[in-house]
Amino acid sequence: MEKITADDIRYPDLAEKRFNTRYTGKPESIFIPGSAEDVVTAVQAAADSKRRLAVRSGGHCLEGFVSDPAVQVLIDMSFMNNIYYDRGRSAFAVEAGATVGEMYRRLFLGWGVVLPAGEHPNIGVGGHVLGGAFGFLCREYGLAADHLYGIELVTVDRSGKAHIVTATREESDPNREVWWAHTGCGGGNFGIVTRYWLRSPGSDGSNPATALPKAPSTITTFRVSWDWNNFDKTKFSQLVGDFGSWAQANSGPESPNRQLFSLLFLNHRNLGKLEMKGVCTAGPQAMQLIDEHLAAIADPLGLKYTRQIEETAWLQFALNPFPELFQPGYDKVKAKIKDALLRRPFSKSQIATIYKYLTGSDPVGGGLGMATYGGRVNAVMPEATASAQRDCILDIACNTGWADPAGEAASIGWVSNFYKDLFADSGGVPVPNADNGGCMINHPDTDLADPKWNSSGIPWHTLYYRDNYPRLQRVKEKWDPGNVFYHALSIRP
Ligand SMILES: Cc1cc2nc3c(=O)[nH]c(=O)nc-3n(C[C@H](O)[C@H](O)[C@H](O)COP(=O)(O)OP(=O)(O)OC[C@H]3O[C@@H](n4cnc5c(N)ncnc54)[C@H](O)[C@@H]3O)c2cc1C
């Protein structure tokens, strides 16, 4: 395996591969391993020379954990992208460098199955699954990590030696704790995952076609759009309140509506539209579920709206979901996302805060997205996986993006103050309590570790991991005792 440095024609492509172009990095060397043994070699070289190391799979990190000027050695996993059924493990093997889209394609065409994972096909499996990973099908089938059977991982031991270890969820596996940590710890914490093994709990894996959930044959999508100008504060409150009430009534593990996943886009008024988009996998019942959903949220407003409903073959949808969301240029964005999981709908005063920020005169682009959560995600105990939030009804995110660097300060200031005011009752952050569930580590936000933005007295790790953090620290102590793998929000030894 070659070491690629700045004088190599491949360097600019490799060094600049990232979704969030807000961050930059200039590693001294980049490795593209083709096997777990190659990863051991690269990690050992970095550890021996005491160089700061980071791993990248899909490059979709929302914070600068990989694209950090302090990172000296970058390990790019994109050559390790095999996907196959491993008869020896009775589970699907997916190498860390595969994209979510390629995984959807291979699992579907090969066996008609699906891993319920994230929404954007270019996300890397490597940094995604170990963060829990929610998406369009999570209410029906749970998080991606709920179907994680095992991992192959390169770690560095107390003596500084790099090793390949495997760990599975089998009770008898002596390495089970490090498997558990990878069901929600987030990337860059204990080592480099080279391969995931996937098999749903309850399947013995003897038949690949039932080792993961059966994929839907078709998916019904809906899109609703309103003219922002038709909303005053009362109508806006009604829309946000009704969306929250629907989520609350339909977030239980047995909800008859768990095959429906819905997103409300509360855009800044200067973008002109408020929108809802969603998917339903209920086949012939889909239209009825969508009609009932819109009857609970859109119709009571009494405002004119456009409505578009389409049935699409599953794979076509999975590889290009809602194309209008991911248009050219979207992958060159500079962005800041501030995420929260809710246990109850927004209160009246929170809705007033949202209205204020979305109708102000600030020259920014952005908004607040609300995604329905729960369903089968809430069927799992908080300690069964490292993804502790098993009692939430909504995942929300205040977000902003800008292209011109001159817009950064205004955009960041707007989104940070918006989030802080939204959670003003709990120190500017969604402290886990009766109303909030904390935050999702796949959407990391370093502000949570900054007392300027988190005055709750509750540390960032409680927001992400709740009561699971001490256990994750014990795993860290055992599997990365030298803290070789770290970033701004990594598990502290
Ligand atoms: C457009 C977009 C849409 C998204 N949609 C969703 C969604 O629907 N659901 C959801 O849950 N999340 C979503 N996310 C968040 C996404 O899951 C995380 O950003 C995830 O960490 C990306 O993984 P990656 O491999 O692409 O990123 P990378 O930037 O390569 O890595 C992210 C982090 O994981 C670490 N890492 C990468 N590979 C490995 C590995 N092999 N072993 C150990 N650590 C590793 C990195 O060092 C870094 O800390 C989205 C993000 C974007 C940008």
Side-chain angles (χ1 to χ4, degrees):
M1 180 189 37
E2 275 178 272
K3 174 165 148 178
I4 295 172
T5 51
D7 52 2
D8 190 297
I9 55 164
R10 293 166 290 182
Y11 183 89
D13 261 299
L14 283 167
E16 284 163 23
K17 181 184 140 188
R18 64 181 69 88
F19 172 82
N20 194 350
T21 60
R22 182 180 168 202
Y23 299 103
T24 52
K26 216 171 179 321
E28 288 168 18
S29 52
I30 304 176
F31 292 91
I32 318 180
S35 65
E37 289 73 21
D38 280 353
V39 176
V40 170
T41 305
V43 169
Q44 192 67 65
D48 289 347
S49 61
K50 305 257 179 290
R51 282 186 159 66
R52 171 87 183 268
L53 164 72
V55 54
R56 177 181 66 205
S57 290
H60 274 56
C61 193
L62 292 163
E63 283 286 2
F65 298 164
V66 178
S67 302
D68 179 338
V71 168
Q72 295 162 298
V73 177
L74 176 62
I75 301 185
D76 177 283
M77 298 300 289
S78 58
F79 271 13
M80 291 188 65
N81 56 6
N82 285 332
I83 297 167
Y84 55 95
Y85 193 73
D86 183 340
R87 291 251 160 235
R89 297 262 175 192
S90 300
F92 290 99
V94 180
E95 289 185 340
T99 61
V100 164
E102 185 56 8
M103 177 182 70
Y104 286 146
R105 195 178 76 81
R106 297 288 291 275
L107 291 179
F108 182 69
L109 295 183
W111 300 274
V113 298
V114 66
L115 178 75
E119 294 157 17
H120 194 271
N122 291 344
I123 300 171
V125 169
H128 180 58
V129 171
L130 46 60
F134 85 111
F136 295 118
L137 303 183
C138 70
R139 286 169 44 81
E140 188 174 6
Y141 293 128
L143 302 176
D146 297 344
H147 302 266
L148 182 63
Y149 173 72
I151 53 168
E152 179 184 72
L153 181 73
V154 173
T155 58
V156 179
D157 69 15
R158 206 169 287 281
S159 72
K161 195 159 166 14
H163 297 273
I164 301 171
V165 297
T166 59
T168 67
R169 66 170 176 242
E170 297 294 345
E171 293 292 344
S172 57
D173 190 328
N175 297 338
R176 190 176 190 276
E177 279 299 279
V178 75
W179 159 80
W180 174 84
H182 285 79
T183 56
C185 65
N189 271 306
F190 306 104
I192 298 183
V193 177
T194 46
R195 187 187 328 247
Y196 290 107
W197 283 286
L198 306 171
R199 191 214 300 162
S200 301
S203 163
D204 65 5
S206 53
N207 176 5
T210 56
L212 283 174
K214 190 170 156 50
S217 141
T218 58
I219 193 151
T220 310
T221 57
F222 59 94
R223 293 171 170 88
V224 165
S225 175
W226 294 270
D227 186 337
W228 226 125
N229 290 324
N230 292 337
F231 281 80
D232 58 13
K233 200 170 174 179
T234 308
K235 290 286 181 200
F236 183 84
S237 303
Q238 190 181 344
L239 170 63
V240 181
D242 285 349
F243 191 80
S245 300
W246 188 93
Q248 187 170 38
N250 292 285
S251 63
E254 306 303 332
S255 166
N257 277 308
R258 64 182 186 272
Q259 288 176 302
L260 190 144
F261 176 89
S262 186
L263 296 155
L264 178 61
F265 295 88
L266 300 171
N267 305 315
H268 193 286
R269 189 158 60 185
N270 60 23
L271 293 177
K273 286 189 293 190
L274 293 171
E275 294 169 294
M276 248 169 89
K277 297 179 200 285
V279 302
C280 187
T281 54
Q285 271 78 54
M287 275 310 301
Q288 187 193 333
L289 297 194
I290 293 170
D291 279 343
E292 287 169 5
H293 184 59
L294 299 184
I297 298 160
D299 298 345
L301 290 168
L303 296 175
K304 210 173 114 206
Y305 64 91
T306 61
R307 162 186 160 139
Q308 188 187 347
I309 299 191
E310 282 170 8
E311 195 175 278
T312 315
W314 158 246
L315 192 59
Q316 268 177 43
F317 170 80
L319 297 183
N320 195 11
F322 298 111
E324 70 276 18
L325 292 181
F326 307 120
Q327 289 182 10
Y330 175 75
D331 53 349
K332 293 272 175 294
V333 79
K334 297 174 171 52
K336 179 75 185 168
I337 314 289
K338 298 178 71 72
D339 166 276
L341 286 151
L342 305 189
R343 299 185 63 206
R344 285 204 191 133
F346 281 128
S347 66
K348 284 202 164 42
S349 74
Q350 284 178 307
I351 297 175
T353 301
I354 300 168
Y355 187 80
K356 182 181 119 191
Y357 275 89
L358 298 186
T359 55
S361 55
D362 325 65
V364 294
L368 183 140
M370 299 174 73
T372 55
Y373 204 67
R376 297 314 289 173
V377 177
N378 288 348
V380 177
M381 297 303 286
E383 67 285 354
T385 68
S387 303
Q389 289 92 352
R390 300 298 184 159
D391 49 11
C392 297
I393 63 167
L394 287 162
D395 178 56
I396 68 100
C398 300
N399 58 74
T400 184
W402 62 98
D404 181 352
E408 172 162 339
S411 299
I412 295 275
W414 177 80
V415 79
S416 305
N417 285 306
F418 181 4
Y419 187 86
K420 185 173 171 221
D421 288 354
L422 191 56
F423 295 106
D425 287 351
S426 50
V429 295
V431 169
N433 57 25
D435 298 325
N436 307 312
C439 304
M440 188 183 284
I441 194 62
N442 260 358
H443 293 168
D445 173 12
T446 53
D447 292 348
L448 301 183
D450 180 346
K452 180 176 172 203
W453 300 110
N454 175 3
S455 58
S456 68
I458 301 299
W460 62 270
H461 46 77
T462 302
L463 297 168
Y464 285 117
Y465 305 113
R466 291 180 23 182
D467 295 342
N468 285 336
Y469 189 65
R471 189 170 165 192
L472 286 167
Q473 284 182 296
R474 290 194 291 277
V475 177
K476 178 79 175 174
E477 185 55 41
K478 174 155 186 208
W479 291 97
D480 184 22
N483 200 22
V484 172
F485 299 92
Y486 68 96
H487 53 70
L489 295 179
S490 55
I491 311 294
R492 308 292 191 242

